[in-house]
Amino acid sequence: MSVSATPQPDVDIDLGRLVTAVWERKTLVLGLTAAAAGLAFLVTGMINPLYKSETRLLVETREPVYSGDQNQQTADVALDERAVTSQVEILKSTDLVKQVARELDLSSREEFDPAANPSAIGDLLVMIGLKKNPLDVPAEERILKEFFKKLDVYAVPGSRVIGIEFSSEDAALAARVPNALVDAYLAFQSSAKLENNTDASAWLEPEIARLRGKVRESEEKVAAYRSETGLLLVNQQDTIAAKQLSDISTELSRVRAERADSEARAQSVRNALSNGQAVDAVSDVLGSPVVQRLRESEGNIRAQIADLSTTLLEAHPRMKGLRAQLKDVERQIYSEIRKVLSSLESNTRVARIREEELTAQLNALKAGSAREGEESVELRSLEREAAAQRDLLETYLGRYREAASRTEPKSLPADARVISRAVPASESHYPKMLPIIGVAAFATFLLSSIGVMLGELFSGRALRPSTGLIRDADETDEHSVATDEHSVAVAEDTGGEPSAEPQLAIETLPNISNDADDFSVESVADQLVTDGTPVAICVSPEGDEGSAAAVMLARTVAGDGLKTLLIDLTGSACPTELMAESRRLPGLTDLMCGDIAIADSIHPDRLSSAHIIPHGNANARRAMRAIDRLPMIIDALTEAYDMVIVECGAADAAAVARIARVENSEIVLSILRSDASEVGRFLAEFNEQGFGDVLLMTPGLPTGPLGQRNSAA
């Protein structure tokens, strides 16, 4: 048993093989697709068509035209998304649905109560207890259940619009139901408003009567308190004391002004007399009628004196008499001025006396105003209470009058209006024949294709080992050069002249540029099956990549219907990784150490019908001590399996010779990237151990025709 340090390879899926497998079974795939399309056509033709109609309404606050705009705007703001959702739930309420079902007599339609006419199969299921008797459910509940299945009420996103959809086998009924449901909803809203309005009126009437008594009592308290305290009103605001205080203050101000004016005029006259100034400029003197007449007389006398002075002397009696008259008039004028001054002083004294009296009265009223202020506080408290009761009464009266005006249902519109009514549909909503047939055909085609591909994958025919980088044309040329020089290479490996037998083995190798299909796993599997080979010992000099090809070989043979077993004799446990459910399963090392029986070491492949004896968990060195028992175990396994494949990994020819003592066994050399000289060396090594015929298997790379034996003899 050899131990390999090469990394474990992966397995690639051959997409071309998958497509080819589907194409090879195109008759089956297309037949199933056509059958599914035909079945879908028949089924859709047997289904009763369903028609769908829709009614839409807008949820908004609606008030009578005489209502205030402010209330309407406030209500509109309250209609948010949750309010619209609430209206959707009201539309789906059981009470509204029952009302519509009764109005349209849906109980008489078989569409809404299919349990009323059960089938024979349904009765049989009920009799044997596999199905509950639908007639045990009340007819109304059965109708509601079918109704809700056909009803769809939804809110249009981003708006206050609600859609009501209903489907039915009758196109006219599909339109009548949502319209009837909307009408019932609007009537329900109006009746709810009317009920609220009636309840409000019934509650306001006794409250108004109670408030009237409170208002009357409050106003009586205000009147009694005014009478007791003397806080009587002379107008809507002022009391008698406040009015008197205001009037006296006004009169006092007027008297003081008159006194000041009289004093000023008297002083002006007095100043004029004391200073010897002319008093004619004083208004009071000029306004005296006596002074005015005396001034006229004085003027006449002075005119006569001036006229006679031209002809008479001063000593003339006439002149003396006129002079005496002039002095008498001046004396009279002075006397009148003194009288005017005396009158002004008298007015001043009277005004001063009046001022003193008014000041005394004002002081007396001010003393009483302090007491009146304290009493006014209590009075204002009583007035506020009476005003509050009065305002509340007026509010209740206004609401009561408004409620009384809305006693008719038409005066209370619902908070929604219909913006689109349902009409009978001209085309059925379900089933859509062409889409259903198309989907059924496509799904069948897809599933059948997937089934074919899965069959290929499980059989292993669509799997190939990952070969890493593919060599380009230059590498192919290098293989040609290596083929030409293969004799020298073998001679150098053997340390002398090229021997005849290795030379014969190398010369029998075909050219590496030939068709690579002969080297495929399928070709090797066909030859092994044709020859009836019971044991195939696979050697992979390149490590795990060749081991992956051995796994593909086992799955290919199993796919041909043969019972196949693969024994993992590699050091890396690559076949175990690819085939077993877990790497920790008991296997060959446990069997060789005697820890388990043969039957316990065999496990199924997770991707095909083949079986595998995995690497195992026991110590490898201990297992190698019993390696001589392996040919007997393989011989026993050939009794139960048509073919046993032993994957030895990168083992040399000497190690393979220890286990290849089974009769009619074949050696399979799995090569992926080795050139012709290396292949010749491998064949020479096996020839030295007595293996004259070796099968070459190089999947994925062109190295030469496979399926023919390469002999070193």
Side-chain angles (χ1 to χ4, degrees), residues 261-405:
D261 181 67
S262 299
E263 288 180 349
R265 288 187 295 175
Q267 185 64 32
S268 64
V269 174
R270 192 180 297 110
N271 291 337
L273 291 176
S274 61
N275 295 332
Q277 298 176 354
V279 295
D280 293 342
V282 180
S283 60
D284 292 311
V285 176
L286 291 176
S288 175
V290 177
V291 174
Q292 291 177 359
R293 288 194 301 269
L294 290 174
R295 287 296 183 185
E296 291 178 358
S297 299
E298 182 183 9
N300 293 329
I301 294 173
R302 289 184 182 276
Q304 291 178 9
I305 292 174
D307 183 45
L308 293 176
S309 63
T310 57
T311 57
L312 298 177
L313 296 174
E314 291 294 330
H316 192 278
R318 181 65 175 163
M319 291 295 290
K320 291 181 179 180
L322 291 174
R323 296 280 182 189
Q325 291 179 3
L326 179 61
K327 290 181 179 180
D328 184 58
V329 169
E330 291 177 351
R331 183 180 53 78
Q332 291 179 5
I333 290 173
Y334 180 79
S335 177
E336 288 299 325
I337 291 174
R338 297 296 301 181
K339 289 180 180 179
V340 170
L341 177 59
S342 177
S343 175
L344 292 174
E345 292 176 347
S346 177
N347 291 336
T348 301
R349 287 191 299 271
V350 172
R352 184 177 293 107
I353 295 172
R354 180 60 179 163
E355 179 184 358
E356 293 174 354
E357 292 177 355
L358 291 175
T359 301
Q361 294 179 5
L362 181 63
N363 292 332
L365 290 174
K366 286 181 178 181
S369 63
R371 177 186 56 82
E372 183 179 349
E374 297 176 357
E375 295 173 348
S376 298
V377 173
E378 181 66 21
L379 177 62
R380 284 193 296 270
S381 176
L382 295 174
E383 288 178 342
R384 282 194 301 270
E385 179 66 22
Q389 298 291 342
R390 190 183 306 108
D391 293 341
L392 183 59
L393 176 61
E394 292 177 356
T395 301
Y396 280 10
L397 286 174
R399 292 183 179 179
Y400 182 78
R401 286 191 294 267
E402 184 177 358
S405 64

Side-chain angles (χ1 to χ4, degrees), residues 159-226:
S159 67
R160 291 185 294 182
V161 176
I162 298 177
I164 302 98
E165 290 185 350
F166 193 81
S167 58
S168 173
E169 298 176 2
D170 186 355
L173 182 63
R176 290 173 57 194
V177 169
N179 291 333
L181 184 61
V182 168
D183 293 339
Y185 166 76
L186 296 178
F188 169 77
Q189 289 278 39
S190 298
S191 62
K193 282 189 174 183
L194 181 60
E195 182 178 357
N196 293 337
N197 188 69
T198 303
D199 293 342
S201 300
W203 182 81
L204 285 173
E205 189 171 356
E207 287 294 319
I208 289 174
R210 183 179 61 83
L211 281 177
R212 281 176 175 168
K214 286 188 175 181
V215 169
R216 185 181 303 106
E217 182 181 353
S218 299
E219 291 179 347
E220 289 177 353
K221 288 182 179 180
V222 172
Y225 189 79
R226 286 184 181 277

Side-chain angles (χ1 to χ4, degrees), residues 489-511:
V490 173
E492 292 176 353
D493 291 339
T494 57
E497 295 296 330
S499 62
E501 292 178 351
Q503 179 68 22
L504 178 61
I506 299 303
E507 290 176 350
T508 58
L509 287 176
N511 192 288

Side-chain angles (χ1 to χ4, degrees), residues 50-54 150 152 164-168 170-171 174-175 422-430:
L50 293 179
Y51 299 89
K52 179 179 288 188
S53 296
E54 181 185 30
K150 301 174 181 294
D152 183 18
I164 302 98
E165 290 185 350
F166 193 81
S167 58
S168 173
D170 186 355
V423 295
S426 58
E427 297 181 358
S428 62
H429 169 71
Y430 177 83

Side-chain angles (χ1 to χ4, degrees), residues 108 212 253 308 321 335 356 381 457 553 569 586 590:
S108 62
R212 281 176 175 168
S253 298
L308 293 176
S335 177
E356 293 174 354
S381 176
L457 290 174
L553 177 63
L569 201 59
D590 304 280

